[in-house]
Structures are given as C-alpha cells and as structure tokens.
Amino acid sequence: MLNQRQIQIMERLENGKASGLELAKLTGTSKRTILRDISQMNHLLQSVGEISSSQAGGYQLYIQDKMAYRKLLHQSMYDDELILLELLRHDFRTLDDLAATLFLSKPMISEKIVFLRGHYANRLEIKSKPNYGHYLDEALFRKMIVLANLIDKNPIFFCERLEIPEGEYDALLRRIRELDVANYYPNIHSAHLASLILAAIVLGDKEDAQETSFLEELELPVAAQHLLSQFFTMQQRKSQAITASAMQEILQRQGEQYGALVFDMELVEQLVGHLKRSIAYPIILHDRKLHNISNIKAVYPLAFDLSITFVANVNELFGIELYDIDLIGLYFSCAMERGRQAAAKVVLFSDQYAVASINKQMIEREIQTVEVIVVMHQKDLQQTLEQQDIKLLLNNHAVYPDMDAGVACIEIKKIITKLELQEIQDTLEKIDVRKNICTFFPKDLAMDYDNKAEEDWDMIVRGICEELVEKAILTPDEAFKIQEREQKGNNLVINHLALPHCTTERNQAFFAVFVHLVRPVQVDGTLVQNALIACVNPNVSTELKVFSYLYYVLNEHDDETILGLPDYDAFIACIIKN
C-alpha cells in the first residue's frame, strides 16, 4: 500500500517529469527519502508501471496497465478520504476510532492526518483537542459541501459507506432528471444535486426523518429540507450578484492594473457561467488534474497571472468558494488568442491556378491566422513583395523564382501535404521572433548575479531588480510588479530557466535581460541557474509569439543543457537552433 507521500509523488509524476529536488520540496522531505520512496514505489508497481530517472535527476512515470494502476492508487487514496468521512459524521474521532474503522495502524493514521491538514491548509480546518480527538471545525453548510464532493468522487463506494441502500443513488438521479429543477435551483448538474441531497440527509437531524421514501416524490426528511432550503437561498443570493456588467467592471479594472484589456464579451459570458456554476455547487476538495497544462501556462503567462488576480477579486467581492485557478487561466488564454493580430500574409507563387486555389483553401482552413495571396507571374510576385508585409513565400511553381525574395521561402510540391502545412505553421510561429532575437534579448544588458547560498528566490529577484533599476534598465514600477508577481507563486519556469516578468507600457513589445546566477536555486520546486527578467507589452500580439517560441525551443534541449548554460552566448545559441 502506498503511503500519502508516495501518492503525492505519483500524482505529480502523472503531470510530467519532475526532479528529485522538486519532489523533496513538494513532500517536505529530503532527496534521500525520495530515493527510498521511488525504490518502494517501483516495487509496488512491478508490472503495473515504472518510475525511471534521467541523468539530470528528473523522474518520469511510465504506466503499462492503466486499470491496475488506478486500482492501486485508489486503494491508497481512499484511506485519506475515509478519514474525512469519519470527521464529517462525528463530532470527534480518536486515533483508536480511526484505526479501528480503517484497519490501519495509529502511526499511519497520524501521518495521514498531518498530510490532510497540510493538503487542505487553505480550505479546511482540521483540528485536534486533548482528551477528545480530531475534528473538522467547519460550519454545517461547508460540511455538507465536502460530503457532497466525496460522494461525487465515487458514488457507489461512498453510498455504501454511508449505508445508503444500493440503487437509491441511481433512483434519486433519475427522479431529479425527470423534474424541472433548473427553475428552482439553476446552474447545477443533476449528479451534483443528487450528491447535495444525500449529504443533507446524512448530516440533517435523523430524529426528524420521515419513514416514507423520499425518492417517490423527492420528499426529503424535514431536517434535510430545511438545510438545503437555507443553502439554496444563500447561494442564489450570491449568484444574482454575478452579472455581465459586474464581470466587465472587474475585468476593466484588472486590465487597467496590468495595462492589458484582455477580454471580450465571450470571456465575460464564460466567466459569468463558470462563477454561477461554482456558486451553485462549490468544490472544496482537490480535484485530480486530468491534463498537464504547463505548456499553455508557458505560452500564455499573462493569462494565468490575470487568473490569479481575478480569483482573488471575486473571492473577496462575492465570497465564492473558488479554487481552480487553472480553468480560469484557460478562459483568459482563449480570450488572448481571439485577440491576436491580423492574419499573417503569405504569398503562394504557382503556375497552376486550380492547384493554387486548392492549396490556398487548405492552408487558410488549417492555419486560421494566415491570409494566402496567390501570384501567378514573377512580375506580380516582385510587386507584391515590395508593396505588402509578406511573412513567407510558398513556391508552388515548377520554376524557382529568379529573384531575391527577401523573406523565408518554403517549397511545395503539387497539392500541399500535412507535413508541409506543419512546416508553414512552425515557420510562421518562429519567424518574427528569430528576426528580432537581438532586440528581444539584448546582449549588452546580459549580466551575472552573485547570489549567496542563503538567498532564496524572492531575495534573488529583489537583488536583481534593484541592480537593474540602478542601471535604468527597469523602471521602479516594473521592478515592483516583477517582485510582486514572483511572490504570488506559480512561477514561470521553462525547462530549468526562470522567467520573472511583468507588463509594461513601453512601445517595445518584449525585451528580456539574461541573468546567469553564480549558484543554482530552487524556484517553485525546480532547480534553475539562469533567468530572463522580461517586460512585455500585452497589447502587442508579438508577446504571445515570444513566450510560445521560448517554450518550444527550450524544450527541444535536455535538462542538463539548459540548467548548465554558462552565459548569454550559450543561451542565444540554444534558442536560435533549428
């Protein structure tokens, strides 16, 4: 059976490779303990999967039998959730009580309670009282929500533990779907409503329960009805305050703060809907992440910066139980993508109009940020290149043009292929950045920073910013915003290279100072020895391309290469490499 620390390691590795130092920081242990855990976990996994390591010290999880892996993980995970269930159903539970219920040793129970306290430190108050035991210091409404969240995770398992007869959950769910509950309590999924009802019945005063089955007409015990009625009234009052105009006001104010009006009515509608759903059915327990979105965060860092501020604002203004910042960040990143610059102009030079028309349609359908201009004669080609801002020349002609096009050129044979479409997209993504490498990353600004062994990341960023302000490279306002952003956590690190950043009102779209640290340092669980202190103008769409470019070119190299970059020249060599 996996212990709680090993479950943490497993869940982290499901989302991608991690170093031993990162895992040690995550679990609050030493690197030596992580090595022992990895060995024990591989013994338990056996034919189910394997955790392997690279020379750079990064660990990666390979799953061979997904069903067997899930079973192993769930068997271990449910112990912690059963402790929560016990704390929800009783005023106090001693270690002896919990050990007898879960068939685990008292030391193991103690370890799991310590984990639960840390895991839910900002969400739940799990406390202990001498001579009484452990308890959940939460209001009845919040206990009901937590219990409903547990039921949602595995209805069959938790209904059995709650002694709810087999089939009652399904019958309740069918009955809810038959009723028009949206008119009474909108914005909630039927399965979530069923979980709330069952939680209210379990936590309501059992002495008031009626003997007749509430499933027939959805008639609930009096105590459950009273609890749900109060909860629904309170949540609907909150929901009424979530309007499009209120969202626009928050986004406008936030946009002014960041100097980036990154929103449209589609984003407003999405956020209103998400908040109303979050109010109707709050999720307090941690959700398991189904996908690794680190690549999206790296491409759209400003979107996730905005999401952190947005969640803080709505929690303060509306008192909403809202914890999933990543999903809000995805809404913002989509809005940024919708607001990107006009389509890049591409010339298609061809000697067959029918073939050129087909290729034009295929390119514009597959790459929506492109406008294809078809040219049949070399004279027209020369004129088009001189008079318009052409990003790329696609030669679909039997004869190569006898001229210096002055732009990148890709040869296309007859009808365009998927590989050629991908080559066009990759080239367009990189072309502007490569053209401006020296502008975006000025060599004369590069510096070494002699960080001391006792300095943490916040201290290092503050020291670098102070030095850059003294040199008039950063303004005091930019330096303040960079330090403030780094202190919020969720730091942007791409393959062992840190990117502290802020928005700026400069006309320049993007510029970054390359900084080599004398000593490596941990940044949000990842070891780094180089940083880019970046300022971006979010109203110039090139900003998106630079972060996207950095993400893909840096990840083309192994960990050791990026971690071991000795200077500016080595960094530039990495990011201009094809």
Side-chain angles (χ1 to χ4, degrees), residues 67-307:
M67 290 186 65
Y69 170 77
R70 289 292 169 208
K71 184 177 180 182
L72 173 65
L73 199 61
H74 286 171
Q75 283 176 343
S76 303
M77 288 174 60
Y78 283 153
D79 288 339
D80 309 305
E81 294 171 342
L82 286 173
I83 291 174
L84 275 180
L85 184 63
E86 288 295 301
L87 297 180
L88 285 164
R89 298 183 69 188
H90 300 87
D91 292 335
F92 290 93
R93 296 304 272 167
T94 65
L95 287 180
D96 287 329
D97 294 331
L98 294 171
T101 302
L102 274 68
F103 303 103
L104 294 173
S105 67
K106 288 199 290 185
M108 181 69 78
I109 294 290
S110 293
E111 179 185 334
K112 289 180 179 294
I113 288 176
V114 169
F115 164 77
L116 285 171
R117 281 203 186 99
H119 196 51
Y120 290 106
N122 299 319
R123 304 192 186 194
L124 293 173
E125 293 286 343
I126 301 172
K127 296 182 177 180
S128 302
K129 188 174 181 180
N131 302 321
Y132 283 89
H134 304 283
Y135 66 101
L136 192 59
D137 187 16
E138 296 289 348
L140 185 56
F141 283 156
R142 298 192 89 249
K143 287 185 176 181
M144 181 180 71
I145 294 166
V146 173
L147 181 53
N149 291 170
L150 280 176
I151 294 170
D152 266 342
K153 283 177 174 284
N154 191 328
I156 295 174
F157 178 82
F158 284 103
C159 282
E160 181 181 348
R161 301 292 300 194
L162 292 166
E163 300 178 353
I164 295 172
E166 186 177 356
E168 277 200 10
Y169 173 84
D170 291 334
L172 174 60
L173 194 56
R174 285 195 301 272
R175 182 65 182 130
I176 289 171
R177 287 170 177 165
E178 291 170 1
L179 301 175
D180 189 12
V181 295
N183 288 330
Y184 177 65
Y185 192 56
N187 302 305
I188 190 169
H189 189 276
S190 52
H192 292 160
L193 181 56
S195 297
L196 275 175
I197 289 173
L198 292 177
I201 292 170
V202 170
L203 296 178
D205 188 351
K206 295 184 181 296
E207 293 181 1
D208 289 334
Q210 300 173 357
E211 292 183 0
T212 56
S213 173
F214 69 90
L215 295 176
E216 292 181 7
E217 298 296 332
L218 208 60
E219 294 179 354
L220 309 183
V222 173
Q225 288 186 47
H226 182 65
L227 182 60
L228 286 170
S229 178
Q230 286 185 314
F231 176 75
F232 291 162
T233 300
M234 180 179 68
Q235 298 304 91
Q236 285 177 314
R237 191 178 298 120
K238 289 182 182 179
S239 186
Q240 288 167 3
I242 307 299
T243 62
S245 59
M247 285 304 100
Q248 283 181 278
E249 185 177 340
I250 291 173
L251 293 171
Q252 179 76 30
R253 189 165 59 248
Q254 185 171 289
E256 292 170 356
Q257 176 186 346
Y258 281 86
L261 297 178
V262 185
F263 74 90
D264 53 19
M265 285 312 298
E266 186 172 344
L267 175 62
V268 170
E269 291 171 4
Q270 288 173 339
L271 292 175
V272 167
H274 181 75
L275 293 182
K276 285 183 176 291
R277 290 189 295 273
S278 298
I279 290 170
Y281 185 74
I283 296 177
I284 298 175
L285 298 188
H286 282 289
D287 279 339
R288 292 178 58 76
K289 300 297 182 184
L290 299 179
H291 303 287
N292 180 12
I293 64 168
S294 59
N295 59 328
I296 303 175
K297 287 185 177 182
V299 173
Y300 300 95
L302 177 59
F304 288 89
D305 293 350
L306 291 169
S307 70

Side-chain angles (χ1 to χ4, degrees), residues 18 101 160 162 179 224 246 262 270 285 377 380 385 412 437 447 513-514 571 574 578:
T101 302
E160 181 181 348
L162 292 166
L179 301 175
V262 185
Q270 288 173 339
L285 298 188
H377 305 287
D380 295 334
L385 291 170
I412 296 175
I437 284 287
M447 58 181 280
V513 178
F514 177 82
F571 163 70
C574 274
N578 289 323

Side-chain angles (χ1 to χ4, degrees), residues 349 351 378 395-402 411:
F349 183 50
D351 56 350
Q378 186 160 314
N395 185 34
N396 199 201
H397 203 288
V399 179
Y400 197 84
D402 183 21
E411 291 249 12

